[in-house]
Amino acid sequence: MRSSQLAQTIANEITLLVTSGELSVGEHLKTQQLADRFGVSRSPVREAMDMLASQGLLEQKENRGFFVREAASGVVEQVRDDTGPFEVANDYQRLAEDWLTDRIPAEVTEQMLRERYELTKSQLNDILMRATREGWAERKQGYGWRFLPVAKTPEAFEQIYRFRMLIEPAAMLEPEFRLDRKIIDEQRRIQSRMLDTDIERLPAERLLHNGALFHEELIKMANNPFFHISLVRVNRMRRLLEYRSRVDRSRTVRQCREHLEILDLLERGEVVEASYAMRRHLGGALSKKSPITWSWSHQAHEKDNLEK
Amino acid sequence: MRSSQLAQTIANEITLLVTSGELSVGEHLKTQQLADRFGVSRSPVREAMDMLASQGLLEQKENRGFFVREAASGVVEQVRDDTGPFEVANDYQRLAEDWLTDRIPAEVTEQMLRERYELTKSQLNDILMRATREGWAERKQGYGWRFLPVAKTPEAFEQIYRFRMLIEPAAMLEPEFRLDRKIIDEQRRIQSRMLDTDIERLPAERLLHNGALFHEELIKMANNPFFHISLVRVNRMRRLLEYRSRVDRSRTVRQCREHLEILDLLERGEVVEASYAMRRHLGGALSKKSPITWSWSHQAHEKDNLEK
DNA sequence: TATTGGCTTTTTAAATCTAAAAATGCAATC
DNA sequence: GATTGCATTTTTAGATTTAAAAAGCCAATA
């Protein structure tokens, strides 16, 4: 079962396409088309389709390619379970969690990490690269790595929201701000569908993702990439924290409504009003202490400073 | 001459300490102390001091360690020249420059890069890691890397300044904003000294560095790390652009004065005034078209999209 | 008693080789 | 004429070994 990671990932993506109804029963999956869509070559796509065929989601017809099977929906449940997202992500989360809960010291050597997590050099490299990009790890001079005192606490949450309360409303007032109908329509669609669906049943991951997406897409319209990238980055950090928490779904409904309101205002050209609404929206999330409940106790940082 | 890079770097640092007068003639350099200061072990510090001794900047006394030599100042000029900052930085700049000027395609394989720049796997890795951290490179799925359409133009400059004009003044009005005497004194010292020195003689690199440092230190006082890190990041991007440009030194003097003014206001507790002054200060840099002159023509992006 | 100088240990970079995986080209087929 | 299925080529990851560099230790010394 140790097929290539890319193929695994793509198999998941394809499964998603089928379950979300974007690919309907009986439809023909064109290899090149999918490859282009995912930005890869045909090889891993083909491998993925092979896997899905053997799992029963697809059907292969001699010299004609792969087609979506009838009994697709039933099979999906199994598939979802054993295809964890590729392992790098898991290892990354493990490291992040260990650091957030002070189970590893602030300064470590690569060897230490490789032993602890049983990783190869490249695997570890990927993970540290990601942590570096996300801003909570850096190479020390000489040997070793240093993990930065990332916002580990609820206060960090407040700080992130204060930052967002500054840049998101301001983005709408930027001189180059332009409405983008495609973005607005797409977001309205997503937010509406969330309200229609039974929100209790949606996975927390998706709620968080859609929420972040809304804000990240909107800020794009300011046409200043530095606003956008800054938001993306604090959101990544936020997700690192939220990953370990439970979402309060009662608030999600209200948030969706507020999102739709903001879209309404924008469409009517009331940008200044929308900017205010955005500020209120973010302020609301802030004032209610924290939109999530913390599932771990934040203990003393003893292991932290073994250094000196 | 191929001593370890760390030692090279540290040798430069020590030279800087001597020339800046922080270490005076005859003073004893304590190995451990320096090692702590630079966050490394004594080995590379020792090696660096050996190098500097053989270059004549320091003097080694049997069993007593190293001391700053009399004739220090004369020697320095030589030293400065042949100790280029470690090579990784050069290669990184080369890659960045090639990308900014469209001399390499947007999608490349590692092999391509290794051949072009004659790098080992690890060296290339370092560089790509850095580019990733700075936000203009990312790994493709499968093989290869993608360079992102970084702000390559003067417009990017304006966008960066607009972003800064938002967050820097706002940072001073954050609820957790607290004056930090150490930061203020240190920055006043640096800025004053720049005014005292003949600014024409300071290397452009240092002018840019000190300028960025001022703002980055000040924003720290907001006690919201997300303000700080966002500024650091846009500044990194800015440096990527400025590296290829010439500084207009006539403006540097005024900037230093304005920096000192802001410090004055802060010390007198007039935070709101300081916030406004900061906004004006940044707006000034923005309005004058651009604080630098562009040394390359921005040609058509032909080579850019070989992809499809 | 703090600091040096030399020595040992630990850690990482570099080089090389092999295997896996992805990209690509092309004839066969619908 | 587009798309598949297979074969070939290219590219990268993994494993292993060697050398270099940094960290850490301890007796000697000012």
Side-chain angles (χ1 to χ4, degrees):
Chain A
M1 247 304 90
R2 193 99 232 347
S3 0
S4 76
Q5 298 196 343
L6 231 200
Q8 279 282 353
T9 311
I10 290 171
N12 285 356
E13 298 271 6
I14 294 177
T15 309
L16 215 68
L17 290 182
V18 173
T19 55
S20 74
E22 192 165 334
L23 291 172
S24 42
V25 172
E27 200 166 341
H28 181 198
L29 305 182
K30 287 165 193 163
T31 321
Q32 185 62 59
Q33 205 167 291
L34 287 171
D36 289 345
R37 173 166 192 158
F38 299 135
V40 298
S41 75
R42 286 166 8 216
S43 300
V45 174
R46 191 153 211 301
E47 197 182 335
M49 295 196 296
D50 274 335
M51 289 167 52
L52 294 176
S54 75
Q55 287 175 353
L57 186 75
L58 303 180
E59 181 181 14
Q60 181 168 22
K61 293 184 183 170
E62 192 64 23
N63 277 326
R64 297 201 46 225
F66 295 84
F67 299 80
V68 181
R69 253 216 172 141
E70 308 270 348
S73 37
V75 193
V76 175
E77 311 296 334
Q78 310 169 350
V79 179
R80 264 287 174 70
D81 287 346
D82 55 20
T83 55
F86 41 134
E87 319 216 340
V88 184
N90 285 332
D91 287 329
Y92 174 75
Q93 285 293 356
R94 202 141 53 102
L95 176 64
E97 185 154 327
D98 282 352
W99 169 231
L100 286 173
T101 55
D102 295 319
R103 281 197 289 264
I104 48 176
E107 307 207 339
V108 297
T109 63
E110 293 184 6
Q111 275 204 354
M112 225 180 273
L113 293 173
R114 282 181 59 184
E115 276 175 32
R116 180 176 178 122
Y117 299 109
E118 291 178 333
L119 298 169
T120 68
K121 210 144 93 176
S122 318
Q123 287 174 324
L124 178 63
N125 188 54
D126 281 350
I127 292 169
L128 289 174
M129 187 115 135
R130 192 161 159 190
T132 306
R133 185 161 51 93
E134 313 276 326
W136 55 276
E138 66 180 19
R139 193 183 269 288
K140 291 206 302 179
Q141 287 202 304
Y143 299 150
W145 289 77
R146 176 180 300 112
F147 295 123
L148 303 177
V150 167
K152 304 186 190 186
T153 60
E155 288 85 58
F157 232 88
E158 188 172 324
Q159 291 169 335
I160 289 176
Y161 271 91
R162 290 204 62 81
F163 183 71
R164 293 179 57 192
M165 276 175 70
L166 176 63
I167 66 168
E168 295 197 43
M172 294 182 181
L173 306 176
E174 276 288 288
E176 293 300 313
F177 180 87
R178 298 284 179 275
L179 284 190
D180 181 331
R181 181 138 304 280
K182 245 195 286 185
I183 290 179
I184 291 188
D185 290 345
E186 170 81 358
Q187 290 307 313
R188 184 185 295 286
R189 205 174 54 71
I190 293 175
Q191 297 294 319
S192 305
R193 194 193 292 175
M194 279 175 74
L195 275 182
D196 292 345
T197 321
D198 182 7
I199 263 179
E200 295 297 328
R201 293 203 31 173
L202 283 172
E205 197 194 339
R206 185 138 292 272
L207 297 182
L208 298 174
H209 172 79
N210 282 348
L213 189 68
F214 173 85
H215 290 273
E216 289 172 11
E217 289 296 303
L218 250 62
I219 208 170
K220 271 189 193 166
M221 301 197 290
N223 287 306
N224 183 329
F226 300 99
F227 280 75
H228 177 246
I229 196 152
S230 296
L231 177 60
V232 168
R233 277 176 163 151
V234 298
N235 273 345
R236 279 202 199 122
M237 191 67 82
R238 190 160 62 96
R239 211 164 303 179
L240 205 62
L241 300 171
E242 277 174 342
Y243 182 79
R244 312 194 65 261
S245 62
R246 271 205 313 275
V247 180
D248 173 0
R249 279 148 203 269
S250 71
R251 315 194 60 222
T252 310
V253 175
R254 223 202 35 226
Q255 279 180 7
C256 284
R257 294 229 180 80
E258 290 177 1
H259 287 167
L260 288 171
E261 261 177 57
I262 292 172
L263 291 175
D264 286 341
L265 288 169
L266 283 175
E267 272 192 318
R268 277 187 268 138
E270 300 175 22
V271 181
V272 177
E273 260 309 314
S275 174
Y276 273 104
M278 177 61 90
R279 193 181 163 83
R280 272 199 307 278
H281 171 62
L282 290 169
L286 177 53
S287 66
K288 294 286 167 49
K289 289 291 154 32
S290 158
I292 56 169
T293 55
W294 300 89
S295 58
W296 76 94
S297 64
H298 190 260
Q299 301 136 335
H301 297 210
E302 287 154 38
K303 275 206 155 175
D304 218 340
N305 297 321
L306 300 175
E307 343 165 34
K308 173 155 295 177
Chain B
M1 247 300 96
R2 191 101 233 343
S3 356
S4 76
Q5 298 196 342
L6 231 198
Q8 278 283 353
T9 311
I10 289 171
N12 286 357
E13 297 273 5
I14 294 177
T15 308
L16 214 70
L17 290 183
V18 174
T19 54
S20 76
E22 191 164 335
L23 290 172
S24 40
V25 172
E27 199 165 342
H28 181 198
L29 305 182
K30 286 166 194 163
T31 322
Q32 185 63 57
Q33 205 167 291
L34 287 170
D36 288 345
R37 172 165 192 158
F38 299 134
V40 297
S41 75
R42 288 179 340 191
S43 301
V45 174
R46 191 155 207 299
E47 199 181 334
M49 294 195 297
D50 275 335
M51 287 167 54
L52 294 176
S54 74
Q55 287 175 354
L57 186 75
L58 304 180
E59 181 181 15
Q60 180 168 24
K61 294 185 184 170
E62 192 64 22
N63 278 326
R64 296 203 49 225
F66 294 84
F67 298 80
V68 181
R69 251 215 173 139
E70 307 272 348
S73 35
V75 193
V76 175
E77 310 296 335
Q78 308 171 351
V79 180
R80 264 285 174 70
D81 288 345
D82 55 20
T83 54
F86 41 134
E87 318 217 339
V88 185
N90 286 333
D91 288 328
Y92 174 76
Q93 285 294 355
R94 201 140 56 102
L95 176 65
E97 187 155 325
D98 281 352
W99 170 231
L100 285 173
T101 55
D102 296 319
R103 280 197 289 263
I104 48 176
E107 307 207 338
V108 296
T109 64
E110 293 185 6
Q111 274 204 355
M112 224 179 276
L113 293 174
R114 281 182 58 184
E115 276 175 34
R116 180 176 178 121
Y117 300 109
E118 291 179 333
L119 298 169
T120 68
K121 212 144 89 174
S122 318
Q123 287 174 324
L124 179 62
N125 188 55
D126 280 351
I127 291 169
L128 289 174
M129 186 113 137
R130 191 158 158 192
T132 306
R133 185 162 53 93
E134 313 276 328
W136 55 276
E138 66 180 18
R139 193 182 268 288
K140 292 208 299 181
Q141 288 203 303
Y143 298 149
W145 288 78
R146 176 182 300 116
F147 295 123
L148 304 177
V150 167
K152 305 186 189 187
T153 61
E155 288 84 58
F157 231 87
E158 188 172 325
Q159 291 169 335
I160 288 176
Y161 271 91
R162 290 204 61 81
F163 183 71
R164 294 180 57 193
M165 276 175 70
L166 175 64
I167 66 169
E168 295 196 43
M172 293 182 181
L173 307 176
E174 276 288 288
E176 292 301 313
F177 180 88
R178 298 284 178 277
L179 284 190
D180 181 330
R181 180 138 307 278
K182 245 195 284 184
I183 290 179
I184 290 187
D185 290 346
E186 170 81 357
Q187 290 306 313
R188 184 186 296 286
R189 204 173 55 71
I190 293 175
Q191 296 294 322
S192 305
R193 193 191 296 174
M194 278 174 74
L195 275 183
D196 292 345
T197 319
D198 182 8
I199 264 179
E200 295 296 328
R201 292 202 33 175
L202 284 172
E205 198 195 337
R206 186 139 290 273
L207 296 181
L208 298 173
H209 172 79
N210 281 348
L213 189 67
F214 174 84
H215 291 272
E216 289 171 11
E217 288 296 303
L218 249 63
I219 209 170
K220 271 189 192 166
M221 300 196 292
N223 287 306
N224 182 331
F226 299 99
F227 280 76
H228 178 246
I229 194 146
S230 297
L231 178 59
V232 168
R233 277 174 164 152
V234 298
N235 273 345
R236 280 201 198 122
M237 191 66 81
R238 190 160 62 96
R239 212 164 302 178
L240 205 62
L241 299 172
E242 276 174 343
Y243 182 80
R244 313 195 66 261
S245 62
R246 272 207 310 277
V247 179
D248 173 359
R249 280 147 203 269
S250 72
R251 314 194 60 225
T252 311
V253 175
R254 224 203 34 228
Q255 279 181 9
C256 282
R257 293 230 180 81
E258 289 176 3
H259 287 166
L260 288 171
E261 263 177 55
I262 293 172
L263 291 175
D264 286 342
L265 288 169
L266 283 175
E267 272 193 319
R268 276 187 269 137
E270 300 176 22
V271 181
V272 177
E273 261 309 314
S275 173
Y276 273 105
M278 176 63 89
R279 193 181 165 82
R280 272 198 308 278
H281 171 61
L282 290 169
L286 177 53
S287 65
K288 296 283 167 50
K289 289 289 158 28
S290 159
I292 58 170
T293 56
W294 299 88
S295 56
W296 75 96
S297 64
H298 191 259
Q299 302 134 335
H301 298 210
E302 286 154 39
K303 274 206 155 175
D304 217 343
N305 296 322
L306 300 174
E307 344 167 34
K308 170 154 299 179

